[in-house]
Amino acid sequence: AEWSAVKTHTVSNPPATLSAPEVEIDKFKLTAKLDNLEEGVTKVQFQVVKDNASTVFNSGTATVSSRHASYSCTIDAGSEYKVRCRAYKDSLYSEWSDYSGNVGSMPSVPAGITTLRAIDETSVYLEWSAVATAESYDFEYTTKKEYFDGSDQTTTQSTTETHFTKTGLETGNEYFFRVRATNSDGTSGWSEIKSVAI
């Protein structure tokens, strides 16, 4: 028989697998980004994983502009996050990249002061709940609750433990205490205030 009419098909290769994205955390905002993407990549899909879980915490797709793509989402305090991505060329997509390294967020607020008692005429023992990502703790105290947040009549001390014996206080006063957690990524809010009379 005679040959049929000719039809031409163009075969496109999917984009190459991307490198792991660069990840930054600023308070409650995570940003993942990639630069110098290959020509023809139109979109990048990002997946965010929290605390090495098997499920995806958040995901989204960014349009590539000037060979750059970035994606941001809101995160929780007191956790670690890692991100992977894949490239799109129209309807074709690459394999997933490796995950970035885990990046920590600032610690969550301590659940509260669990023990607060006078141990003699000038000393108080306090203990509080541990925070998983905390590297140290600040506790603040004063003789009037209204002195917190706006007065120089408070004193703050730091410790790497979850308990402290505060000495050198004045007999007959009531003291108010609160605590917060800190790490290299930031500082949590303050716990609820508790008081003790000496």
Side-chain angles (χ1 to χ4, degrees):
E2 296 297 318
W3 287 103
S4 66
V6 174
K7 293 195 75 173
T8 303
H9 296 271
T10 302
V11 179
S12 298
N13 292 321
T17 302
L18 300 171
S19 58
E22 179 184 339
V23 179
E24 297 174 349
I25 289 178
D26 181 17
K27 295 184 179 177
F28 298 104
K29 180 182 178 183
L30 177 147
T31 301
K33 58 185 178 181
L34 287 162
D35 290 307
N36 301 316
L37 293 164
E38 68 176 89
E39 293 290 344
V41 173
T42 55
K43 294 183 295 185
V44 176
Q45 183 181 11
F46 294 88
Q47 282 188 344
V48 181
V49 170
K50 175 182 176 181
D51 294 331
N52 294 315
S54 58
T55 56
V56 175
F57 171 77
N58 209 321
S59 65
T61 302
T63 301
V64 174
S65 176
S66 301
R67 300 177 64 187
H68 168 84
S70 68
Y71 170 74
S72 296
C73 67
T74 301
I75 57 168
D76 303 321
S79 294
E80 292 187 325
Y81 297 86
K82 62 184 180 182
V83 184
R84 67 177 182 173
C85 57
R86 63 180 177 182
Y88 278 77
K89 280 185 177 178
D90 299 320
S91 61
L92 301 175
Y93 52 88
S94 70
E95 297 293 324
W96 286 104
S97 72
D98 291 332
Y99 279 104
S100 66
N102 276 312
V103 180
S105 61
M106 66 188 214
S108 55
V109 177
I113 296 171
T114 55
T115 302
L116 180 60
R117 66 176 186 269
I119 54 176
D120 60 34
E121 292 87 348
T122 59
S123 303
V124 165
Y125 175 80
L126 63 154
E127 192 171 312
W128 53 88
S129 304
V131 175
T133 59
E135 295 167 1
S136 63
Y137 300 89
D138 299 329
F139 68 90
E140 185 179 29
Y141 65 94
T142 184
T143 54
K144 291 187 178 180
K145 192 174 183 179
E146 57 266 27
Y147 286 162
F148 289 122
D149 300 319
S151 168
D152 60 0
Q153 301 298 310
T154 66
T155 302
T156 303
Q157 288 188 250
S158 297
T159 177
T160 56
E161 304 293 333
T162 57
H163 56 86
F164 196 88
T165 299
K166 177 59 193 162
T167 60
L169 301 175
E170 293 184 15
T171 302
N173 280 335
E174 182 178 14
Y175 284 89
F176 297 84
F177 288 83
R178 64 182 184 175
V179 65
R180 67 185 178 186
T182 66
N183 65 19
S184 56
D185 300 301
T187 302
S188 76
W190 290 103
S191 69
E192 290 186 5
I193 298 165
K194 284 196 173 182
S195 68
V196 61
I198 300 181

PDB file of all heavy atoms in Angstrom, residues 18 20 22 34 36 44 68 82 86 88 103-104 106-107 114 123 127 141-142 147 149-151 158 165 169 181 188 193:
ATOM      1  N   LEU A  18      15.629  19.015  41.221  1.00  0.00           N
ATOM      2  CA  LEU A  18      16.203  20.209  41.831  1.00  0.00           C
ATOM      3  C   LEU A  18      17.048  19.856  43.057  1.00  0.00           C
ATOM      4  O   LEU A  18      16.909  18.784  43.634  1.00  0.00           O
ATOM      5  CB  LEU A  18      15.078  21.163  42.270  1.00  0.00           C
ATOM      6  CG  LEU A  18      14.149  21.655  41.169  1.00  0.00           C
ATOM      7  CD1 LEU A  18      12.970  22.413  41.783  1.00  0.00           C
ATOM      8  CD2 LEU A  18      14.905  22.559  40.198  1.00  0.00           C
ATOM      9  N   ALA A  20      17.958  20.651  47.056  1.00  0.00           N
ATOM     10  CA  ALA A  20      17.100  20.979  48.200  1.00  0.00           C
ATOM     11  C   ALA A  20      16.999  22.497  48.333  1.00  0.00           C
ATOM     12  O   ALA A  20      17.976  23.221  48.113  1.00  0.00           O
ATOM     13  CB  ALA A  20      17.670  20.382  49.471  1.00  0.00           C
ATOM     14  N   GLU A  22      16.618  26.342  49.925  1.00  0.00           N
ATOM     15  CA  GLU A  22      17.125  27.082  51.079  1.00  0.00           C
ATOM     16  C   GLU A  22      15.925  27.476  51.936  1.00  0.00           C
ATOM     17  O   GLU A  22      14.933  27.982  51.422  1.00  0.00           O
ATOM     18  CB  GLU A  22      17.873  28.327  50.597  1.00  0.00           C
ATOM     19  CG  GLU A  22      18.435  29.192  51.692  1.00  0.00           C
ATOM     20  CD  GLU A  22      19.082  30.453  51.159  1.00  0.00           C
ATOM     21  OE1 GLU A  22      19.458  30.482  49.972  1.00  0.00           O
ATOM     22  OE2 GLU A  22      19.201  31.423  51.931  1.00  0.00           O
ATOM     23  N   LEU A  34      14.530  28.941  45.880  1.00  0.00           N
ATOM     24  CA  LEU A  34      15.514  28.388  44.952  1.00  0.00           C
ATOM     25  C   LEU A  34      15.918  29.461  43.953  1.00  0.00           C
ATOM     26  O   LEU A  34      15.075  30.241  43.485  1.00  0.00           O
ATOM     27  CB  LEU A  34      14.930  27.196  44.188  1.00  0.00           C
ATOM     28  CG  LEU A  34      14.736  25.895  44.966  1.00  0.00           C
ATOM     29  CD1 LEU A  34      13.773  25.002  44.219  1.00  0.00           C
ATOM     30  CD2 LEU A  34      16.071  25.190  45.143  1.00  0.00           C
ATOM     31  N   ASN A  36      18.586  30.378  40.362  1.00  0.00           N
ATOM     32  CA  ASN A  36      19.294  29.826  39.196  1.00  0.00           C
ATOM     33  C   ASN A  36      18.637  28.547  38.669  1.00  0.00           C
ATOM     34  O   ASN A  36      19.305  27.553  38.369  1.00  0.00           O
ATOM     35  CB  ASN A  36      20.771  29.562  39.526  1.00  0.00           C
ATOM     36  CG  ASN A  36      21.488  30.820  39.957  1.00  0.00           C
ATOM     37  OD1 ASN A  36      21.320  31.870  39.341  1.00  0.00           O
ATOM     38  ND2 ASN A  36      22.290  30.722  41.005  1.00  0.00           N
ATOM     39  N   VAL A  44       7.433  25.764  40.592  1.00  0.00           N
ATOM     40  CA  VAL A  44       8.080  24.866  41.558  1.00  0.00           C
ATOM     41  C   VAL A  44       7.081  24.566  42.664  1.00  0.00           C
ATOM     42  O   VAL A  44       6.472  25.481  43.228  1.00  0.00           O
ATOM     43  CB  VAL A  44       9.360  25.491  42.160  1.00  0.00           C
ATOM     44  CG1 VAL A  44       9.947  24.572  43.235  1.00  0.00           C
ATOM     45  CG2 VAL A  44      10.398  25.767  41.075  1.00  0.00           C
ATOM     46  N   HIS A  68      13.879  32.300  39.551  1.00  0.00           N
ATOM     47  CA  HIS A  68      13.803  32.267  41.012  1.00  0.00           C
ATOM     48  C   HIS A  68      12.385  31.870  41.427  1.00  0.00           C
ATOM     49  O   HIS A  68      11.407  32.288  40.815  1.00  0.00           O
ATOM     50  CB  HIS A  68      14.146  33.653  41.586  1.00  0.00           C
ATOM     51  CG  HIS A  68      13.831  33.799  43.044  1.00  0.00           C
ATOM     52  ND1 HIS A  68      14.690  33.389  44.036  1.00  0.00           N
ATOM     53  CD2 HIS A  68      12.737  34.308  43.675  1.00  0.00           C
ATOM     54  CE1 HIS A  68      14.141  33.637  45.218  1.00  0.00           C
ATOM     55  NE2 HIS A  68      12.960  34.198  45.039  1.00  0.00           N
ATOM     56  N   LYS A  82      11.335  20.889  57.615  1.00  0.00           N
ATOM     57  CA  LYS A  82      12.185  20.652  56.454  1.00  0.00           C
ATOM     58  C   LYS A  82      11.314  20.724  55.205  1.00  0.00           C
ATOM     59  O   LYS A  82      10.093  20.527  55.273  1.00  0.00           O
ATOM     60  CB  LYS A  82      12.894  19.305  56.545  1.00  0.00           C
ATOM     61  CG  LYS A  82      11.974  18.096  56.588  1.00  0.00           C
ATOM     62  CD  LYS A  82      12.772  16.813  56.779  1.00  0.00           C
ATOM     63  CE  LYS A  82      11.857  15.576  56.835  1.00  0.00           C
ATOM     64  NZ  LYS A  82      12.623  14.336  57.056  1.00  0.00           N
ATOM     65  N   ARG A  86       9.851  20.176  43.702  1.00  0.00           N
ATOM     66  CA  ARG A  86      10.018  19.608  42.363  1.00  0.00           C
ATOM     67  C   ARG A  86       9.656  20.669  41.329  1.00  0.00           C
ATOM     68  O   ARG A  86       8.847  21.565  41.592  1.00  0.00           O
ATOM     69  CB  ARG A  86       9.185  18.348  42.171  1.00  0.00           C
ATOM     70  CG  ARG A  86       7.684  18.509  42.254  1.00  0.00           C
ATOM     71  CD  ARG A  86       7.004  17.167  42.046  1.00  0.00           C
ATOM     72  NE  ARG A  86       5.550  17.249  42.193  1.00  0.00           N
ATOM     73  CZ  ARG A  86       4.733  16.210  42.087  1.00  0.00           C
ATOM     74  NH1 ARG A  86       5.224  14.997  41.842  1.00  0.00           N
ATOM     75  NH2 ARG A  86       3.423  16.360  42.230  1.00  0.00           N
ATOM     76  N   TYR A  88       8.392  22.095  37.499  1.00  0.00           N
ATOM     77  CA  TYR A  88       7.417  21.853  36.427  1.00  0.00           C
ATOM     78  C   TYR A  88       7.855  22.572  35.160  1.00  0.00           C
ATOM     79  O   TYR A  88       8.278  23.730  35.205  1.00  0.00           O
ATOM     80  CB  TYR A  88       6.041  22.383  36.829  1.00  0.00           C
ATOM     81  CG  TYR A  88       5.249  21.460  37.713  1.00  0.00           C
ATOM     82  CD1 TYR A  88       5.537  21.355  39.069  1.00  0.00           C
ATOM     83  CD2 TYR A  88       4.220  20.680  37.196  1.00  0.00           C
ATOM     84  CE1 TYR A  88       4.812  20.504  39.888  1.00  0.00           C
ATOM     85  CE2 TYR A  88       3.496  19.833  38.015  1.00  0.00           C
ATOM     86  CZ  TYR A  88       3.792  19.750  39.355  1.00  0.00           C
ATOM     87  OH  TYR A  88       3.067  18.900  40.160  1.00  0.00           O
ATOM     88  N   VAL A 103      15.077  22.987  60.148  1.00  0.00           N
ATOM     89  CA  VAL A 103      15.262  24.343  60.660  1.00  0.00           C
ATOM     90  C   VAL A 103      14.267  24.533  61.800  1.00  0.00           C
ATOM     91  O   VAL A 103      13.082  24.261  61.646  1.00  0.00           O
ATOM     92  CB  VAL A 103      15.033  25.396  59.548  1.00  0.00           C
ATOM     93  CG1 VAL A 103      15.232  26.802  60.098  1.00  0.00           C
ATOM     94  CG2 VAL A 103      15.966  25.146  58.371  1.00  0.00           C
ATOM     95  N   GLY A 104      14.754  24.999  62.931  1.00  0.00           N
ATOM     96  CA  GLY A 104      13.905  25.136  64.105  1.00  0.00           C
ATOM     97  C   GLY A 104      13.208  26.480  64.175  1.00  0.00           C
ATOM     98  O   GLY A 104      13.710  27.490  63.683  1.00  0.00           O
ATOM     99  N   MET A 106      11.198  29.350  66.837  1.00  0.00           N
ATOM    100  CA  MET A 106      11.365  29.786  68.220  1.00  0.00           C
ATOM    101  C   MET A 106      10.527  28.905  69.136  1.00  0.00           C
ATOM    102  O   MET A 106       9.552  28.293  68.690  1.00  0.00           O
ATOM    103  CB  MET A 106      10.974  31.252  68.366  1.00  0.00           C
ATOM    104  CG  MET A 106       9.522  31.555  68.125  1.00  0.00           C
ATOM    105  SD  MET A 106       9.262  33.332  68.095  1.00  0.00           S
ATOM    106  CE  MET A 106       7.642  33.447  68.824  1.00  0.00           C
ATOM    107  N   PRO A 107      10.896  28.779  70.405  1.00  0.00           N
ATOM    108  CA  PRO A 107      10.184  27.843  71.284  1.00  0.00           C
ATOM    109  C   PRO A 107       8.764  28.296  71.600  1.00  0.00           C
ATOM    110  O   PRO A 107       8.438  29.481  71.503  1.00  0.00           O
ATOM    111  CB  PRO A 107      11.052  27.821  72.547  1.00  0.00           C
ATOM    112  CG  PRO A 107      11.799  29.109  72.521  1.00  0.00           C
ATOM    113  CD  PRO A 107      12.005  29.450  71.075  1.00  0.00           C
ATOM    114  N   THR A 114       4.956  25.382  87.672  1.00  0.00           N
ATOM    115  CA  THR A 114       4.288  24.261  88.331  1.00  0.00           C
ATOM    116  C   THR A 114       4.477  24.269  89.843  1.00  0.00           C
ATOM    117  O   THR A 114       3.640  23.747  90.573  1.00  0.00           O
ATOM    118  CB  THR A 114       4.790  22.927  87.764  1.00  0.00           C
ATOM    119  OG1 THR A 114       6.233  22.884  87.882  1.00  0.00           O
ATOM    120  CG2 THR A 114       4.422  22.801  86.279  1.00  0.00           C
ATOM    121  N   SER A 123      14.008  33.469 100.533  1.00  0.00           N
ATOM    122  CA  SER A 123      14.245  32.647  99.337  1.00  0.00           C
ATOM    123  C   SER A 123      12.960  31.997  98.834  1.00  0.00           C
ATOM    124  O   SER A 123      12.075  31.650  99.618  1.00  0.00           O
ATOM    125  CB  SER A 123      15.274  31.549  99.627  1.00  0.00           C
ATOM    126  OG  SER A 123      16.472  32.109 100.083  1.00  0.00           O
ATOM    127  N   GLU A 127       9.648  26.204  89.862  1.00  0.00           N
ATOM    128  CA  GLU A 127       9.861  25.159  88.865  1.00  0.00           C
ATOM    129  C   GLU A 127       8.797  25.334  87.787  1.00  0.00           C
ATOM    130  O   GLU A 127       7.678  25.749  88.074  1.00  0.00           O
ATOM    131  CB  GLU A 127       9.731  23.793  89.536  1.00  0.00           C
ATOM    132  CG  GLU A 127      10.193  22.620  88.701  1.00  0.00           C
ATOM    133  CD  GLU A 127      10.228  21.335  89.528  1.00  0.00           C
ATOM    134  OE1 GLU A 127      10.776  21.365  90.655  1.00  0.00           O
ATOM    135  OE2 GLU A 127       9.685  20.329  89.038  1.00  0.00           O
ATOM    136  N   TYR A 141      10.619  38.572  87.765  1.00  0.00           N
ATOM    137  CA  TYR A 141       9.849  38.718  89.006  1.00  0.00           C
ATOM    138  C   TYR A 141       9.772  40.179  89.433  1.00  0.00           C
ATOM    139  O   TYR A 141      10.603  41.011  89.042  1.00  0.00           O
ATOM    140  CB  TYR A 141      10.437  37.849  90.116  1.00  0.00           C
ATOM    141  CG  TYR A 141      11.825  38.234  90.556  1.00  0.00           C
ATOM    142  CD1 TYR A 141      12.034  39.093  91.634  1.00  0.00           C
ATOM    143  CD2 TYR A 141      12.949  37.729  89.901  1.00  0.00           C
ATOM    144  CE1 TYR A 141      13.311  39.445  92.045  1.00  0.00           C
ATOM    145  CE2 TYR A 141      14.225  38.074  90.295  1.00  0.00           C
ATOM    146  CZ  TYR A 141      14.415  38.931  91.367  1.00  0.00           C
ATOM    147  OH  TYR A 141      15.681  39.281  91.758  1.00  0.00           O
ATOM    148  N   THR A 142       8.753  40.476  90.239  1.00  0.00           N
ATOM    149  CA  THR A 142       8.529  41.827  90.730  1.00  0.00           C
ATOM    150  C   THR A 142       7.604  41.767  91.944  1.00  0.00           C
ATOM    151  O   THR A 142       7.016  40.707  92.231  1.00  0.00           O
ATOM    152  CB  THR A 142       7.916  42.717  89.624  1.00  0.00           C
ATOM    153  OG1 THR A 142       7.801  44.060  90.103  1.00  0.00           O
ATOM    154  CG2 THR A 142       6.558  42.205  89.190  1.00  0.00           C
ATOM    155  N   TYR A 147       3.654  45.860  87.361  1.00  0.00           N
ATOM    156  CA  TYR A 147       4.981  46.286  86.918  1.00  0.00           C
ATOM    157  C   TYR A 147       5.438  45.551  85.640  1.00  0.00           C
ATOM    158  O   TYR A 147       6.307  46.029  84.927  1.00  0.00           O
ATOM    159  CB  TYR A 147       6.016  46.052  88.013  1.00  0.00           C
ATOM    160  CG  TYR A 147       5.953  47.029  89.163  1.00  0.00           C
ATOM    161  CD1 TYR A 147       6.557  46.730  90.383  1.00  0.00           C
ATOM    162  CD2 TYR A 147       5.300  48.250  89.035  1.00  0.00           C
ATOM    163  CE1 TYR A 147       6.506  47.621  91.453  1.00  0.00           C
ATOM    164  CE2 TYR A 147       5.240  49.151  90.105  1.00  0.00           C
ATOM    165  CZ  TYR A 147       5.850  48.829  91.302  1.00  0.00           C
ATOM    166  OH  TYR A 147       5.810  49.703  92.346  1.00  0.00           O
ATOM    167  N   ASP A 149       5.667  44.362  81.868  1.00  0.00           N
ATOM    168  CA  ASP A 149       5.383  44.990  80.570  1.00  0.00           C
ATOM    169  C   ASP A 149       5.221  46.504  80.690  1.00  0.00           C
ATOM    170  O   ASP A 149       4.154  47.063  80.412  1.00  0.00           O
ATOM    171  CB  ASP A 149       4.126  44.385  79.916  1.00  0.00           C
ATOM    172  CG  ASP A 149       4.267  42.896  79.661  1.00  0.00           C
ATOM    173  OD1 ASP A 149       5.359  42.481  79.243  1.00  0.00           O
ATOM    174  OD2 ASP A 149       3.296  42.171  79.887  1.00  0.00           O
ATOM    175  N   GLY A 150       6.267  47.180  81.077  1.00  0.00           N
ATOM    176  CA  GLY A 150       6.178  48.633  81.065  1.00  0.00           C
ATOM    177  C   GLY A 150       6.784  49.317  82.256  1.00  0.00           C
ATOM    178  O   GLY A 150       6.526  50.490  82.490  1.00  0.00           O
ATOM    179  N   SER A 151       7.576  48.606  83.043  1.00  0.00           N
ATOM    180  CA  SER A 151       8.184  49.213  84.221  1.00  0.00           C
ATOM    181  C   SER A 151       9.613  48.699  84.366  1.00  0.00           C
ATOM    182  O   SER A 151       9.935  47.588  83.915  1.00  0.00           O
ATOM    183  CB  SER A 151       7.386  48.855  85.484  1.00  0.00           C
ATOM    184  OG  SER A 151       8.108  49.211  86.636  1.00  0.00           O
ATOM    185  N   SER A 158      18.359  34.311  83.962  1.00  0.00           N
ATOM    186  CA  SER A 158      18.346  33.214  82.998  1.00  0.00           C
ATOM    187  C   SER A 158      18.958  31.960  83.597  1.00  0.00           C
ATOM    188  O   SER A 158      19.828  32.028  84.479  1.00  0.00           O
ATOM    189  CB  SER A 158      19.130  33.608  81.739  1.00  0.00           C
ATOM    190  OG  SER A 158      18.527  34.699  81.093  1.00  0.00           O
ATOM    191  N   THR A 165      16.297  28.445  92.518  1.00  0.00           N
ATOM    192  CA  THR A 165      16.091  28.948  93.872  1.00  0.00           C
ATOM    193  C   THR A 165      16.538  30.404  93.891  1.00  0.00           C
ATOM    194  O   THR A 165      17.722  30.699  93.705  1.00  0.00           O
ATOM    195  CB  THR A 165      16.887  28.133  94.906  1.00  0.00           C
ATOM    196  OG1 THR A 165      16.444  26.772  94.863  1.00  0.00           O
ATOM    197  CG2 THR A 165      16.672  28.692  96.303  1.00  0.00           C
ATOM    198  N   LEU A 169      15.587  37.853  98.604  1.00  0.00           N
ATOM    199  CA  LEU A 169      14.318  38.587  98.553  1.00  0.00           C
ATOM    200  C   LEU A 169      14.010  39.180  99.937  1.00  0.00           C
ATOM    201  O   LEU A 169      14.680  38.877 100.925  1.00  0.00           O
ATOM    202  CB  LEU A 169      13.202  37.639  98.110  1.00  0.00           C
ATOM    203  CG  LEU A 169      13.422  36.982  96.735  1.00  0.00           C
ATOM    204  CD1 LEU A 169      12.319  35.977  96.450  1.00  0.00           C
ATOM    205  CD2 LEU A 169      13.520  38.010  95.631  1.00  0.00           C
ATOM    206  N   ALA A 181      10.730  30.738  77.362  1.00  0.00           N
ATOM    207  CA  ALA A 181      11.775  29.877  76.802  1.00  0.00           C
ATOM    208  C   ALA A 181      12.513  30.603  75.688  1.00  0.00           C
ATOM    209  O   ALA A 181      11.932  31.423  74.969  1.00  0.00           O
ATOM    210  CB  ALA A 181      11.143  28.589  76.256  1.00  0.00           C
ATOM    211  N   SER A 188      10.140  32.850  73.279  1.00  0.00           N
ATOM    212  CA  SER A 188       8.686  32.650  73.363  1.00  0.00           C
ATOM    213  C   SER A 188       8.037  33.808  74.103  1.00  0.00           C
ATOM    214  O   SER A 188       8.706  34.682  74.663  1.00  0.00           O
ATOM    215  CB  SER A 188       8.387  31.343  74.102  1.00  0.00           C
ATOM    216  OG  SER A 188       8.577  31.507  75.501  1.00  0.00           O
ATOM    217  N   ILE A 193       1.242  34.410  85.037  1.00  0.00           N
ATOM    218  CA  ILE A 193       1.911  34.910  86.235  1.00  0.00           C
ATOM    219  C   ILE A 193       1.409  34.161  87.474  1.00  0.00           C
ATOM    220  O   ILE A 193       0.210  33.911  87.621  1.00  0.00           O
ATOM    221  CB  ILE A 193       1.638  36.424  86.387  1.00  0.00           C
ATOM    222  CG1 ILE A 193       2.223  37.178  85.191  1.00  0.00           C
ATOM    223  CG2 ILE A 193       2.190  36.958  87.696  1.00  0.00           C
ATOM    224  CD1 ILE A 193       1.724  38.598  85.057  1.00  0.00           C
TER     225      ILE A 193
END
